[in-house]
Amino acid sequence: MRTMYDAVTAANIPADAGMVAGYIDRIKLEPWSAADWARFPRAVKVTIVKKASTDAGHVLDVEPGDATPAEAPGWVRMRRAAGADPTVYCNLSTWPSVRSAFSYAGVAQPHYWIAHYDGDPAIPDGAVAKQYLGNVAPGYDVSSVVDYWPGVDDAGSASTGVEIMERITVTPPNADQNAVRVFLSGSPGAAVVIRPRLGGDGFSKPMWIGDIFAWGSDHQGVGHNPTQTPGYNNKLTSHRRYDLPGAVWADINYSSTDPFEIDIVG
């Protein structure tokens, strides 16, 4: 679990924060400036929008004065069409209304960042983050965040400081098991992000990722095969990151009926 800070005024957040969230559009208050974001050069950066008409950002803020529960499905559909994996922020008490709005609209539920100021960092089932402290002096909020936040942690350098070296498209020759070879940096942060494509309905057809055989610069296996992890689920219905530290190339076994993308990060 990680700790994330957010604030209207970026300068209120500790400069050494490892994860920060700030606004990028405006209703009444000014969004964060480029200088505000630059205060946190090493932080994972989460962008929030207040207006459901803004086709940008990781998170839509659903609360009085900002977006409404009824507007959230349209924003999520728009962001998915742009290739994002979006999240909605709302209070715990508002969450049922937001979920009902998605069910009524026939739009798949997004990720959720839930606010409940009870001082308990435990994240509710079905959420990726919980804002559990509000208005901490000199003026910031504190959230607990899961170790992997889809749509944020796999969104590349704009949000995480991790460089996307290359994005490749894989077109399966058939629906059987196939393999694709990718080349990586060999760095401690080497990884791949597998991205099933979203359809117009906001859903992606499932695909399967099996064995991943990775090798280092000494031509020796580096031992990061996910199928050897107890409980590994090889079925993907959204983006998933596979860390391959030290790998310079890897063979990825997959089954898919549709083309998909692989981000090579490092």
Side-chain angles (χ1 to χ4, degrees):
M1 191 182 304
R2 297 174 289 176
T3 298
M4 179 173 70
Y5 300 84
D6 69 275
V8 171
T9 303
N12 291 342
I13 296 175
D16 60 351
M19 191 172 198
V20 299
Y23 296 101
I24 60 171
D25 69 351
R26 173 181 177 174
I27 291 182
K28 293 182 179 179
L29 300 174
E30 289 292 335
W32 282 20
S33 67
D36 289 333
W37 290 106
R39 290 187 74 248
F40 313 101
R42 298 185 180 278
V44 175
K45 300 176 178 67
V46 180
T47 53
I48 310 168
V49 299
K50 293 174 172 287
K51 296 184 290 187
S53 59
T54 301
D55 190 1
H58 298 113
V59 179
L60 176 68
D61 191 350
V62 174
E63 58 180 316
D66 295 333
T68 67
E71 292 174 325
W75 181 82
V76 166
R77 186 185 294 113
M78 175 175 65
R79 295 300 292 136
R80 285 174 176 162
D85 192 1
T87 294
V88 169
Y89 167 95
C90 63
N91 292 323
L92 182 65
S93 60
T94 309
W95 197 8
S97 298
V98 177
R99 294 181 65 91
S100 294
F102 278 89
S103 297
Y104 180 78
V107 176
Q109 299 287 332
H111 307 294
Y112 285 104
W113 173 13
I114 300 303
H116 185 49
Y117 301 140
D118 60 354
D120 182 358
I123 299 171
D125 290 341
V128 295
K130 178 187 177 184
Q131 191 180 71
Y132 64 95
L133 294 175
N135 199 26
V136 177
Y140 59 78
D141 303 325
V142 182
S143 298
S144 51
V145 179
V146 294
D147 290 333
Y148 174 66
W149 184 345
V152 171
D153 290 313
D154 55 10
S157 58
S159 66
T160 66
V162 174
E163 180 183 1
I164 295 180
M165 298 172 59
E166 183 181 7
R167 174 172 291 176
I168 64 174
T169 297
V170 179
T171 302
N174 52 58
D176 298 330
Q177 180 169 296
N178 298 283
V180 58
R181 176 164 292 181
V182 296
F183 296 92
L184 299 103
S185 66
S187 74
V192 295
V193 179
I194 312 294
R195 296 178 174 274
R197 287 186 179 176
L198 294 173
D201 59 358
F203 295 88
S204 60
K205 291 183 179 179
M207 60 176 294
W208 289 262
I209 297 295
D211 295 318
I212 299 180
F213 301 109
W215 284 264
S217 58
D218 57 359
H219 303 286
Q220 299 297 312
V222 293
H224 299 286
N225 189 344
T227 62
Q228 304 302 309
T229 302
Y232 171 70
N233 182 1
N234 65 357
K235 182 179 179 180
L236 272 68
T237 56
S238 63
H239 307 161
R240 186 181 297 174
R241 178 183 176 121
Y242 295 89
D243 290 312
L244 302 170
V248 295
W249 57 280
D251 289 333
I252 303 171
N253 291 326
Y254 69 90
S255 296
S256 177
T257 57
D258 292 328
F260 62 94
E261 275 67 48
I262 300 176
D263 285 351
I264 301 169
V265 302

